Amino acid sequence: MVVLKFGGTSVAEVEGIRRVAGIVAAEPRPRVVVVSALAGVTDALLTLASAGATIPGNPPPRALDALLRRHIAAAAMIRDRAARASLEHELYAIAGHVAATLESAPGRLSPRSRDDIAAAGELWSSRLLATVLRDRGVPAVWLDARHVMHTNSHHGNAAPNLDATRDAATRLVKPHLDRGEVVVLGGFIGSDPGGATTTLGRGGSDCSAAVLGACLDAEEIQIWTDVDGVLTADPRVVPHARVVPHLSYGEAHDLASAGAKVLHPGTIGPAVDRAIPVAVRNSHRPTAPGTVVSARRPAADAPLVAGLACRAGAVLFEVVAHERADVDEFVARVFGELELARVEAVLADLCGNRLVFTVHASERLDGLRRSLSKSAEVRVTEGLATVTVVGDGLITDPHLAADAARALRDVRVHLVAPPDGKRTLAFLVDGAQAALATSRLHDYFFGAARRRAAAQRPMVQA
Ligand code: ADP
Ligand code: ASP
Ligand code: MG
């Protein structure tokens, strides 16, 4: 069997939904279809949730009505009138649940209520797609993803429980596949041990697809999106970025973790465990070959560097211990404070009694700064970005790090995290220079000059 996941960019409008239905219909193997909310819907739902509770008895917010209307308008493509009416009923019920949740809590909504609201996007889109598929003669059944995807209770960023999900998938999904039916469910959403709705973090439908693929022993996990595959850089930053035909699992994981939005970082782990290839394909151009992520790339097309990723919102902490402090104790104390504040250091470097590290911007940083300031001098620089070069070749080619640094001569670099046996080389730069740094590194690694230099060096086996 195969899992096909369609992101919001693939189901942004009616034309997109039609294309998706065509791709699902053309796949001859038993299949599970995982779909994200229509583009922009999760953002709109979370904005509604942030606006807070509504007054009982008042009409539901206009923004909610607009979202409902968007789905009702898309449902007009369904030819069978009875099926359309029953779908519309479900779409209204989902909106009704959002309205009730908004009314239920006075003031600020809890993380649990926010998840309840955010889940509406995938409930709407999956109901819609299942009905569209049936309307085209595909024997599709809709399942509530919350009954299949089991997670912990970390609302907003829940982690899947693979054992519980495997049990549920075997019980609830497999019998349909055995009968030749196509199972459609929403990505991104799940439920915790108490049955409360959870979400897997932004972009989490990729992760849903990978977990379901692993639980059902899929032969392939297909991630259908709006670009031709994983590219050498974000095409919004580097318009001439190229498709990478093959990536190792490690490269895809590191690119995703470093901010390449095309894949959620939680996608690769479940696939690696069962050695399932992950294909990234363009739903707007289904004939394009896309990218295949697997354990081993063919050596012949293995460039030293696979691609670049960029992440904004980095904050640099420089912590200087008082003169007579014991350095080991100082470092242990700083990392202890980080753990207490539940803040993860991304890049870190120690020079004498000066420890520098970067973290992602969050509201917890003020507290961290205060507690560190009690025993050390602390300087914080906000508005930075990390630009990361990823490639299996970095593990073995010591020239690459120095070469790359040279390409950034006119960029202010605050910190460099060299590969040190890993496949990543990261630069911390001003947020305003992130695009420039990405372009410079891209030109360096993927421009004509690099191709000439690379041709003179032996290729590295992946
Ligand atoms: P979906 O709705 O399919 O989940 P996303 O918006 O989450 O789509 O991811 C696709 C987008 O990721 C692309 O449109 C592209 O702008 C962005 N992106 C960032 N880095 C990369 C990369 N290295 N390769 C391809 N796309 C990338
Ligand atoms: N709809 C969710 C989001 O916008 C999940 C996803 O798109 O994968 O984050
Ligand atoms: Mg996505």
Side-chain angles (χ1 to χ4, degrees):
M1 60 85 58
V2 289
V3 177
L4 297 93
K5 176 264 170 176
F6 297 93
T9 56
S10 294
V11 289
E13 17 56 48
V14 168
E15 233 6 83
I17 299 169
R18 266 204 197 102
R19 263 194 307 267
V20 164
I23 293 168
V24 175
E27 170 60 63
R29 293 170 285 186
R31 52 221 184 273
V32 167
V33 176
V34 174
V35 64
S36 300
L38 273 51
V41 170
T42 309
D43 283 341
L45 287 165
L46 289 172
T47 305
L48 261 176
S50 297
T54 52
I55 298 163
N58 276 11
R62 279 231 200 107
L64 176 58
D65 198 46
L67 290 175
L68 172 62
R69 299 280 142 218
R70 185 171 161 197
H71 291 84
I72 298 281
M77 71 195 282
I78 292 155
R79 291 162 295 196
D80 183 304
R81 286 176 68 184
R84 190 166 71 228
S86 134
L87 170 66
E88 284 175 356
H89 178 79
E90 294 301 341
L91 299 177
Y92 272 97
I94 294 162
H97 182 74
V98 173
T101 309
L102 283 169
E103 277 186 6
S104 64
R108 238 184 107 134
L109 292 170
S110 64
R112 179 182 166 147
S113 297
R114 280 175 72 82
D115 270 354
D116 238 345
I117 291 170
E122 271 69 12
L123 292 173
W124 273 325
S125 65
S126 56
R127 286 273 193 193
L128 175 64
L129 182 59
T131 314
V132 168
L133 285 169
R134 274 199 302 276
D135 200 52
R136 289 181 60 119
V138 177
V141 288
W142 176 83
L143 289 185
D144 188 330
R146 294 170 298 182
H147 298 160
V148 182
M149 175 62 67
H150 291 276
T151 72
N152 64 12
S153 303
H154 193 160
H155 286 286
N157 200 16
N161 175 333
L162 261 87
D163 290 337
T165 304
R166 183 168 295 117
D167 279 355
T170 309
R171 235 175 344 97
L172 302 174
V173 178
K174 194 144 182 315
H176 289 292
L177 299 180
D178 293 343
R179 283 201 290 274
E181 291 164 346
V182 174
V183 173
V184 180
L185 22 77
F188 182 54
I189 61 177
S191 61
D192 77 356
T197 298
T198 54
T199 60
L200 304 182
R202 297 307 307 269
S205 299
D206 299 335
C207 179
S208 303
V211 168
L212 288 171
C215 290
L216 290 160
D217 281 323
E219 46 192 280
E220 189 181 29
I221 297 160
Q222 299 179 350
I223 305 290
W224 290 87
T225 182
D226 67 341
V227 284
D228 277 350
V230 179
L231 309 182
T232 46
D234 185 342
R236 288 167 302 185
V237 180
V238 181
H240 52 283
R242 299 196 301 266
V243 178
V244 187
H246 295 100
L247 284 171
S248 68
Y249 285 128
E251 288 173 330
H253 175 268
D254 287 356
L255 277 170
S257 304
K261 195 187 170 211
V262 65
L263 283 178
H264 183 277
T267 316
I268 300 301
V272 176
D273 288 346
R274 306 240 149 190
I276 305 169
V278 177
V280 182
R281 308 275 302 271
N282 190 347
S283 70
H284 302 250
R285 278 191 349 117
T287 49
T291 297
V292 175
V293 184
S294 63
R296 192 162 273 270
R297 289 181 298 152
D301 78 344
L304 298 169
V305 164
L308 310 169
C310 174
R311 187 192 294 285
V315 178
L316 177 69
F317 273 68
E318 297 177 69
V319 190
V320 182
H322 296 315
E323 275 194 2
R324 277 187 299 280
D326 176 283
V327 172
D328 289 343
E329 252 175 48
F330 159 67
V331 172
R333 200 171 52 241
V334 172
F335 280 98
E337 292 290 357
L338 277 161
E339 211 176 309
L340 264 181
R342 289 191 292 119
V343 171
E344 193 193 346
V346 187
L347 314 173
D349 190 30
L350 176 69
C351 182
N353 64 342
R354 179 172 167 270
L355 180 65
V356 294
F357 59 86
T358 70
V359 295
H360 297 308
S362 85
E363 67 271 18
R364 290 198 284 273
L365 296 187
D366 274 347
L368 176 67
R369 179 191 201 145
R370 272 196 304 276
S371 49
L372 289 173
S373 300
K374 285 183 196 150
S375 56
E377 216 175 284
V378 183
R379 216 174 96 198
V380 177
T381 314
E382 292 176 86
L384 304 177
T386 46
V387 179
T388 309
V389 185
V390 178
D392 285 337
L394 288 166
I395 300 174
T396 46
D397 190 330
H399 304 286
L400 287 173
D403 289 358
R406 246 173 267 136
L408 293 182
R409 248 172 308 199
D410 54 349
V411 174
R412 180 162 180 227
V413 177
H414 295 262
L415 189 67
V416 182
D420 262 344
K422 301 190 300 282
R423 64 174 71 76
T424 55
L425 163 66
F427 297 92
L428 184 70
V429 300
D430 289 333
Q433 286 201 307
L436 175 69
T438 306
S439 299
R440 288 272 187 278
L441 288 166
H442 193 273
D443 283 354
Y444 183 77
F445 283 111
F446 301 102
R450 180 72 206 173
R451 282 203 293 279
R452 274 197 303 278
Q456 287 152 18
R457 271 193 213 157
M459 284 297 231
V460 171
Q461 303 286 317

